[in-house]
Amino acid sequence: MIITNNTDLPKPFVRMAESDYKPTPKRYSATTLLKPVREILLNRRYDSVLMRDCSEMIWLLFGKAVHKILEEYGTGENEFTEERLEVAMDSGYTVSGILDFYDIDKGEVADYKTASVWKVIYKDFEDWKKQGLIYAWLLRKNGLPCHKATFYALLKDHSAQKAKHEADYPKEPVYRVEFTITDEEIAEIERFITDKLELLRTYEDKPDDELPLCTLEERWNDGDKYAVMRKGVKRALRVLDSMEAAREYVADKGGDYIELRKGEDKKCKINLIGNLTKDPESATTQSGVGFTRFTIAVNRLFTNSAGERVADYFNIVCWRELADRCAKYLYKGSKVGVSGMVQQRQYEDRDGNKRTAFDIVAHEVEFLTPKTSARYQGGEAPQTVVPNVNVRSGGIELTPIDHPEDLPF
């Protein structure tokens, strides 16, 4: 990975962010196995060109510092810190892990984390439990006992004031989570490891466009919601988890229509601010679903070696009501904020070669052009100015896209 320093942080920050780590074929760490297959393989394939600024890694660097301090203060006679364990699998793969702390007498493995208070509030510890189980499995495979995994979370955004007044808020800036480990869970995590390695073996040599898509759970999707609406009223009467529940509410208490509010991908979500390179283009699929496409130019945060500002270009696709509004109010030069997810597609060029392209399927589009601006195209008179507004996909009649010819490409 290429580490940049666009905010001109001191050199020690940069050196700490840099790493000599290089992915080794057929070797995967415990934390890597928790990630989606697609993410694992793409990160490995493009490690040499991936770029990240050290300013984005402050909490990672803080975590490294904490580990260094705890390691420096030493251990007891039967305690170990930063211990590396490996297990060679029959399939030819190796699973490894570095334990922050292990007490052989207690049969306990511990890990130190930097986390947000929201992880504690939502009790979102499933990934930690899996990590602890893999560490316990590594220990047992190496002939060492392990019956408990403990995680110590340093809450980077803890507020002492909120801790005093909010009942569900963590009371201290350090939070401990413990998991008792059973033999049944060890057997289950071994099946998880074996299955994950088999998936990686299956897709390691496949091209990018054939890698499995991440699941909703892997994308941290918060799930679709169904809003019961009244005509002329922006605020929902009720927001429910299913269309069935929404229809029951309408039948019982009224409402004019139901609006689908698509679940958002918290992990794979992309947010962009840029300007349209040309007017939007609209069309309708064979099944009657409207869509709008446009391209935005997004300036990079830094200039190139010649001092020039470089822009990247992103193709945006909007559907249904969102598509209608974008087609109506956007034009070449409009400044927009786009929030959505990356979608991959394949097509054939004029020479019959198979190509892969990526688009941003927009969930929200914010109109950022100032209200006082006017649109000119040649001798065309200024158009009606539209105030800034957030718009979402919506409407009760939602036609699924079942056939490739229905896609807007």
Side-chain angles (χ1 to χ4, degrees):
M1 178 178 289
I2 302 169
I3 303 298
T4 59
N5 187 18
N6 298 322
T7 51
D8 198 27
L9 291 174
K11 292 297 182 184
F13 281 89
V14 183
R15 288 194 288 270
M16 193 181 294
E18 292 173 340
S19 171
D20 294 330
Y21 168 77
K22 296 293 181 185
T24 303
K26 298 188 181 302
R27 176 186 290 269
Y28 294 96
S29 70
T31 51
T32 297
L33 290 176
L34 299 178
K35 299 175 182 177
V37 169
R38 186 183 188 88
E39 180 182 350
I40 294 171
L41 295 178
L42 288 177
N43 276 328
R44 289 197 163 209
R45 292 176 186 182
Y46 299 104
D47 178 72
S48 62
V49 296
L50 289 174
M51 185 179 295
R52 194 174 184 187
D53 194 76
C54 61
S55 63
E56 302 171 6
M57 305 170 70
I58 291 299
W59 287 109
L60 174 63
L61 304 184
F62 178 77
K64 281 188 175 183
V66 169
H67 283 80
K68 189 70 176 177
I69 292 169
L70 293 172
E71 182 181 8
E72 184 178 335
Y73 276 88
T75 57
E77 184 177 351
N78 291 320
E79 298 171 345
F80 304 90
T81 61
E82 297 295 310
E83 188 74 15
R84 177 184 288 276
L85 295 176
E86 295 181 352
V87 171
M89 307 292 286
D90 293 339
S91 59
Y93 288 80
T94 298
V95 178
S96 66
I98 299 178
L99 312 184
D100 288 349
F101 180 85
Y102 173 62
D103 187 326
I104 191 170
D105 292 333
K106 294 181 179 179
E108 178 183 5
V109 62
D111 196 79
Y112 309 117
K113 300 284 189 185
T114 55
S116 167
V117 293
W118 293 107
K119 192 163 187 78
V120 175
I121 291 171
Y122 289 127
K123 300 292 187 285
D124 179 23
F125 304 131
E126 188 60 32
D127 55 333
W128 291 2
K129 183 175 183 179
K130 266 189 176 178
Q131 182 181 345
L133 285 169
I134 296 177
Y135 285 163
W137 174 82
L138 284 167
L139 285 162
R140 292 193 184 190
K141 285 291 187 180
N142 280 274
L144 297 168
C146 186
H147 312 291
K148 185 167 74 171
T150 304
F151 291 83
Y152 295 91
L154 307 181
L155 305 180
K156 54 192 179 184
D157 51 356
H158 186 269
S159 166
Q161 191 69 17
K162 289 184 178 181
K164 288 180 181 179
H165 301 290
E166 298 181 15
D168 62 346
Y169 199 87
K171 301 308 175 188
E172 304 294 339
V174 179
Y175 191 85
R176 183 173 66 185
V177 183
E178 295 182 353
F179 302 104
T180 300
I181 295 169
T182 65
D183 293 341
E184 292 77 10
E185 288 176 319
I186 290 294
E188 184 179 340
I189 203 65
E190 183 166 43
R191 287 192 293 272
F192 167 82
I193 293 168
T194 302
D195 292 345
K196 195 60 164 284
L197 291 174
E198 178 59 25
L199 277 173
L200 289 165
R201 186 197 65 77
T202 300
Y203 288 102
E204 274 177 339
D205 297 324
K206 299 284 186 181
D208 293 353
D209 56 5
E210 292 183 20
L211 298 180
L213 296 175
C214 299
T215 64
L216 292 177
E217 182 181 5
E218 290 170 336
R219 300 200 303 265
W220 300 350
N221 188 283
D222 57 10
D224 293 349
K225 303 295 181 183
Y226 299 84
V228 180
M229 309 293 294
R230 283 201 186 279
K231 292 179 179 178
V233 180
K234 292 184 178 180
R235 187 180 180 86
L237 296 175
R238 187 74 179 272
V239 179
L240 299 135
D241 293 332
S242 69
M243 178 63 81
E244 181 182 2
R247 285 173 174 157
E248 288 177 0
Y249 183 93
V250 171
D252 184 38
K253 298 184 178 180
D256 296 321
Y257 65 97
I258 300 170
E259 178 182 273
L260 170 64
R261 297 183 178 178
K262 295 292 292 180
E264 293 185 4
D265 298 329
K266 303 301 183 184
K267 183 175 182 180
C268 299
K269 184 177 179 180
I270 185 170
N271 299 295
L272 301 167
I273 295 179
N275 297 81
L276 271 71
T277 60
K278 60 180 181 179
D279 288 348
E281 298 177 353
S282 297
T284 304
T285 67
Q286 291 183 1
S287 56
V289 181
F291 64 90
T292 295
R293 299 183 64 195
F294 55 88
T295 300
I296 61 173
V298 179
N299 287 329
R300 295 184 182 178
L301 298 177
F302 50 90
T303 57
N304 60 19
S305 57
E308 301 168 331
R309 182 71 69 178
V310 178
D312 294 300
Y313 297 88
F314 297 87
N315 297 321
I316 313 297
V317 181
C318 306
W319 292 90
R320 303 179 175 89
E321 180 186 350
L322 181 58
D324 295 339
R325 296 205 180 188
C326 288
K328 183 176 181 180
Y329 296 129
L330 297 181
Y331 50 87
K332 180 179 179 179
S334 292
K335 188 173 186 177
V336 295
V338 176
S339 178
M341 62 175 289
V342 179
Q343 188 172 53
Q344 178 180 281
R345 60 183 171 90
Q346 290 78 43
Y347 67 97
E348 287 190 4
D349 62 19
R350 294 178 179 178
D351 299 324
N353 299 312
K354 290 186 177 181
R355 303 290 186 185
T356 300
F358 296 89
D359 300 288
I360 309 301
V361 178
H363 295 153
E364 296 184 46
V365 177
E366 185 173 4
F367 303 160
L368 300 176
T369 298
K371 298 178 184 180
T372 54
S373 68
R375 176 186 181 184
Y376 290 91
Q377 286 190 343
E380 185 176 316
Q383 302 295 303
T384 302
V385 176
V386 179
N388 292 355
V389 62
N390 280 319
V391 291
R392 292 175 178 265
S393 297
I396 188 169
E397 295 297 332
L398 302 175
T399 307
I401 305 302
D402 296 323
H403 304 289
E405 57 266 27
D406 280 346
L407 295 174
F409 313 115

